Amino acid sequence: MKIFVCVKHVPDTAATIKVAGDTGFEDADIKFIANPYDEFGIEEAVSIKESQGGEVVIVTVGGESAPDTIRGALAMGADRAIHVEIDSQFLDAELTAQALKAAIEADGAPELIFTGKGSVDTESFQTPYRLARLFGMPVVNEVSALEVNGGKALATRESGAGEKQVLEMALPCVVGATKGLNEPRYPKFPDIMKAKKKEIKAMGLSDLGVDESAAKVTLVKMEPVPERSQARMLEGSVDDQVTELIRVLKEDEKVLG
Amino acid sequence: MDFDLTKEQEMIRKEVRKFALKEIDPIAGELDEKEAFSEELTQKMGEIGLFGMFVSEEYDGQGMDYISYIIAVEEIARIDGSQAATIAAGNSLGIGPIYYFGTEEQKQKYLPGLCSGEGLWGFGLTEPTAGSDAGGSKTTAVQDGDEWVINGSKIFITNAASDMTMGVTVQAITGTRDNGKPEYSCFLVESGTPGFKAVPMHNKLMWRASNTAELYFDDVRVPKENILGNKGDGFHQMLKTLDGGRLSIGAMGLGGAQGAYDLALKYAREREQFGQPISKFQAVAFKLADSAMEIECARNVLYKACWLKDQKRPFEKEAAMGKLYASEVMSRVADHAVQIHGGYGLMKEYKVERFYRDQKLLEIGEGTSEVQRIVISRYIGC
């Protein structure tokens, strides 16, 4: 099975972001990582390859330091990669999808495409849908369990309302991965060394026929969010307060898993 | 001159850091509190390749350079001294002597199980009455036909009494040299050999989640092929092992200093007194500036020593300097870190107190700071 995994090179969520200019941030000293949701996609793709055979190709649209992230994906077991190099820190979601599609198509017919459910930097949650639309493929996002068999993908997703949906899609399709899908492996050290020898094919947007000036959404202003310091008072019985506190820590502040 | 690490070395750092944060950080405090050695965690560390890092792939090692190994120890120590001790002792003292001095049969027999992290191996050198005076050890081995008979005891031996321990290397007197001094040889003693007992040591100040043992040898008989390398090489093997081991202790000092500094900087930027973060007060800021400077210096001297070793050039003096300096830097940095935390720094909820305790071993183990100064002074011609 030929599987593509779209991986975004994003600033570490623990990094301190300093806005530079009107629409950018200082990135020279910031640690970048693979978008954590994409890592679930890499792990799933590699385990499908391990059980069913095939090939896993990483596709990244990102700046010149993106190969550092790509090497990590290769060390996890992907076979090779395509790096679409861009200069801007924020590329319009439609152009990103066009670039991913063109890069994948030029490489061969995909049987399965993984993306993360969204990226932790811009959080616009568009890539899986836009990519699926461009390909005319079915898509399910926020997939927390997946079975791929006999030309079909059975994807489980949790809806916001608390129920689980199990959706069947014909291959090829796009799967937006999220937490729960698997536990991404740590690369073994010898695999880190082997990743050095795997191919990363570099290309630009123009090689893929993507016109950067045709962006439909343009970032016009970026500003730091003023630090919030006001306290929030919880009310009700002790049980209610504790329940609410746990909810706040889990859902609002995301400090509990 | 090139101060950059390779991409692969950077990736080792990134992956080990991620592993340490995710797998070790959440449980390090509890393991320390309970004084519990975790087999599960040790095996996880083995799975990613933290054992046998500098061992070639033909013995199932990871085939990496020494600096990658040192970076890995540094990154583990940045989160937890105990786990770093398991890794450093496992590689430098457990695997190292067998890899560097063992016969082909010994390497084939023992290294794959140790490099995978399935098993651990201890290195028995220190004795109750022979610490810095390693030449004063009393354990003996006497040849009896096709066997050696070992009698004596060892103390403070890391990784030697866990359920995962497959055996120990033990240094023993095997005769007298021409100059009248004792002749030493090292022997491989497998766990379960009759007469060999390994007893875990408890109530430690530091490294509480690492496994430390007292070893007893009571007429322990091992086949003659269990002698490590050649008869009479024991003293030389021990010295060489400690030269490499010093780099890993230095890495623990460096990583521990970095960890304590990271915690102190974070705390100083968040904690407010007199209406502003305490990091804005010079009294605190200067402590952090000194810490950052000393950590930078420690890293440079230690990496240089590793680079010399990787280049197969003499590195013994720099190894002693790196070990001595990094462990003393961690002492000062951990002290500052606790001071910056104030009263909270004395509480177990805040991790700095663990760094403060774990540090002290580094000035004592694998050659005290005093011994390192002797080593350095001899190299510079005193």
Side-chain angles (χ1 to χ4, degrees):
Chain A
M1 180 171 294
K2 186 153 186 166
I3 310 172
F4 290 86
V5 188
C6 305
V7 176
K8 192 171 183 184
H9 178 62
V10 298
D12 189 341
T13 44
T16 311
I17 304 288
K18 279 191 195 148
V19 173
D22 279 342
T23 60
F25 61 94
E26 288 175 15
D27 57 11
D29 290 328
I30 285 185
K31 198 179 124 199
F32 278 75
I33 57 170
N35 178 42
Y37 295 113
D38 302 347
E39 286 196 328
F40 299 117
I42 301 167
E43 175 61 41
E44 200 66 14
V46 172
S47 34
I48 292 171
K49 182 190 85 167
E50 283 168 352
S51 62
Q52 305 186 13
E55 187 183 29
V56 176
V57 184
I58 303 298
V59 193
T60 297
V61 177
E64 61 173 349
S65 65
D68 294 347
T69 288
I70 294 173
R71 294 275 173 219
L74 295 173
M76 282 174 73
D79 297 287
R80 55 194 178 80
I82 302 166
H83 174 206
V84 182
E85 196 172 332
I86 54 169
D87 297 326
S88 60
Q89 286 176 325
F90 301 101
L91 188 66
D92 175 27
E94 175 62 18
L95 296 184
T96 302
Q98 285 177 13
L100 289 169
K101 188 212 176 206
I104 290 170
E105 226 167 25
D107 197 80
E111 289 170 85
L112 187 57
I113 301 174
F114 285 97
T115 70
K117 76 161 180 181
S119 63
V120 297
D121 56 349
T122 51
E123 294 194 313
S124 53
F125 300 86
Q126 304 201 20
T127 300
Y129 302 111
R130 287 183 181 274
L131 190 59
R133 182 185 61 79
L134 290 172
F135 270 116
M137 288 180 191
V139 54
V140 175
N141 201 10
E142 297 192 71
V143 173
S144 56
L146 185 71
E147 275 176 53
V148 178
N149 262 319
K152 284 177 179 163
L154 208 59
T156 304
R157 70 184 291 273
E158 281 176 39
S159 76
E163 81 267 16
K164 275 186 182 174
Q165 299 175 331
V166 181
L167 300 145
E168 189 181 278
M169 291 183 283
L171 299 185
C173 65
V174 176
V175 173
T178 193
K179 200 174 174 187
L181 183 58
N182 50 50
E183 200 56 55
R185 69 192 68 189
Y186 297 100
K188 296 181 185 351
F189 296 155
D191 293 336
I192 291 178
M193 303 307 282
K194 282 174 202 145
K196 187 162 91 171
K197 298 187 188 92
K198 292 180 179 175
E199 179 199 36
I200 302 179
K201 199 168 165 186
M203 56 186 71
L205 287 174
S206 54
D207 301 325
L208 296 167
V210 177
D211 176 8
E212 203 170 348
S213 65
K216 293 181 175 166
V217 178
T218 311
L219 180 70
V220 289
K221 183 93 184 136
M222 196 159 91
E223 309 182 317
V225 179
E227 279 180 39
R228 283 175 301 171
S229 59
Q230 72 271 32
R232 192 180 335 182
M233 298 305 293
L234 303 178
E235 285 171 7
S237 68
V238 172
D239 278 358
D240 289 348
Q241 289 185 38
V242 171
T243 308
E244 175 62 7
L245 177 64
I246 290 170
R247 191 199 65 76
V248 168
L249 292 176
K250 275 188 172 166
E251 293 175 24
D252 298 355
E253 302 302 329
K254 296 187 170 57
V255 290
L256 293 182
Chain B
M1 240 178 143
D2 184 0
F3 281 97
D4 283 326
L5 297 173
T6 64
K7 292 273 182 209
E8 289 68 37
Q9 289 160 347
E10 290 287 6
M11 267 185 75
I12 295 286
R13 183 190 296 287
K14 193 166 155 183
E15 292 302 333
V16 177
R17 181 172 295 184
K18 192 161 125 188
F19 175 89
L21 273 173
K22 207 167 155 199
E23 305 290 339
I24 301 177
D25 195 41
I27 57 172
E30 190 189 341
L31 293 175
D32 172 78
E33 176 73 22
K34 292 185 177 162
E35 209 175 17
F37 169 81
S38 169
E39 248 180 75
E40 191 191 341
L41 185 53
T42 306
Q43 275 155 359
K44 274 188 190 173
M45 295 196 289
E47 279 164 24
I48 66 166
L50 282 164
F51 291 101
M53 286 195 69
F54 50 76
V55 173
S56 64
E57 291 186 62
E58 66 177 300
Y59 305 110
D60 291 357
Q62 323 303 334
M64 316 203 72
D65 54 13
Y66 214 79
I67 193 149
S68 296
Y69 161 51
I70 288 307
I71 289 169
V73 174
E74 176 191 341
E75 288 299 326
I76 299 285
R78 192 168 157 263
I79 299 300
D80 183 36
S82 291
Q83 306 312 321
T86 303
I87 296 297
N91 281 288
S92 293
L93 307 181
I95 291 169
I98 299 176
Y99 181 54
Y100 290 123
F101 312 118
T103 61
E104 189 53 37
E105 293 72 29
Q106 289 165 350
K107 291 195 240 188
Q108 297 283 1
K109 185 173 180 190
Y110 297 113
L111 290 178
L114 299 176
C115 293
S116 67
E118 284 160 52
L120 292 169
W121 198 269
F123 179 69
L125 174 65
T126 300
E127 296 191 4
T129 57
S132 295
D133 180 13
S137 58
K138 297 195 177 101
T139 299
T140 58
V142 178
Q143 192 159 14
D144 180 18
D146 282 347
E147 292 178 326
W148 285 89
V149 185
I150 304 169
N151 277 289
S153 66
K154 301 284 174 180
I155 196 165
F156 307 131
I157 311 305
T158 305
N159 290 343
S162 76
D163 290 342
M164 296 172 67
T165 302
M166 293 166 69
V168 298
T169 302
V170 55
Q171 193 200 57
I173 298 168
T174 47
T176 309
R177 288 183 173 282
D178 295 342
N179 61 10
K181 288 187 175 172
E183 175 202 82
Y184 293 96
S185 304
C186 289
F187 297 88
L188 305 176
V189 180
E190 293 180 14
S191 298
T193 306
F196 167 47
K197 201 164 70 164
V199 182
M201 296 175 77
H202 287 297
N203 293 320
K204 290 184 287 180
L205 170 75
M206 55 348 99
W207 290 13
R208 290 170 55 84
S210 87
N211 179 268
T212 311
E214 277 183 276
L215 309 180
Y216 299 96
F217 302 88
D218 185 12
D219 283 333
V220 174
R221 303 182 84 89
V222 296
K224 69 176 192 309
E225 57 267 24
N226 278 31
I227 195 162
L228 182 71
N230 299 315
K231 178 174 174 287
D233 281 355
F235 199 71
H236 170 80
Q237 290 169 351
M238 180 271 290
L239 288 179
K240 286 283 156 210
T241 299
L242 291 183
D243 282 336
R246 277 172 194 150
L247 297 172
S248 61
I249 295 286
M252 293 186 64
L254 171 61
Q258 183 72 53
Y261 162 82
D262 290 345
L263 292 168
L265 179 62
K266 182 170 185 286
Y267 183 82
R269 289 163 61 126
E270 287 168 1
R271 167 79 168 173
E272 290 191 5
Q273 290 288 275
F274 306 103
Q276 63 175 346
I278 59 171
S279 63
K280 299 290 177 200
F281 295 104
Q282 276 192 353
V284 171
F286 283 11
K287 284 186 176 68
L288 290 165
D290 284 345
S291 300
M293 173 184 70
E294 292 205 291
I295 289 167
E296 180 73 19
C297 294
R299 184 169 286 122
N300 283 337
V301 67
L302 193 68
Y303 285 10
K304 184 184 169 190
C306 296
W307 178 81
L308 288 168
K309 181 169 164 59
D310 281 331
Q311 301 291 318
K312 308 213 182 314
R313 284 159 61 172
F315 68 98
E316 293 77 8
K317 179 182 72 179
E318 287 78 6
M321 287 177 169
K323 191 265 184 191
L324 171 64
Y325 188 66
S327 52
E328 294 191 350
V329 165
M330 186 181 172
S331 165
R332 292 189 285 271
V333 172
D335 186 53
H336 285 332
V338 170
Q339 190 69 21
I340 288 169
H341 277 73
Y344 297 108
L346 306 172
M347 305 304 292
K348 284 196 191 290
E349 287 164 75
Y350 287 77
K351 298 168 192 163
V352 281
E353 67 85 32
R354 184 157 44 83
F355 286 80
Y356 187 82
R357 286 185 286 110
D358 279 345
Q359 179 277 328
K360 194 59 204 172
L361 184 136
L362 306 180
E363 294 176 274
I364 295 172
E366 291 198 43
T368 60
S369 290
E370 292 75 12
V371 165
Q372 306 306 326
R373 287 187 165 86
I374 292 173
V375 170
I376 296 166
S377 65
R378 286 183 183 156
Y379 273 105
I380 61 175
C382 294

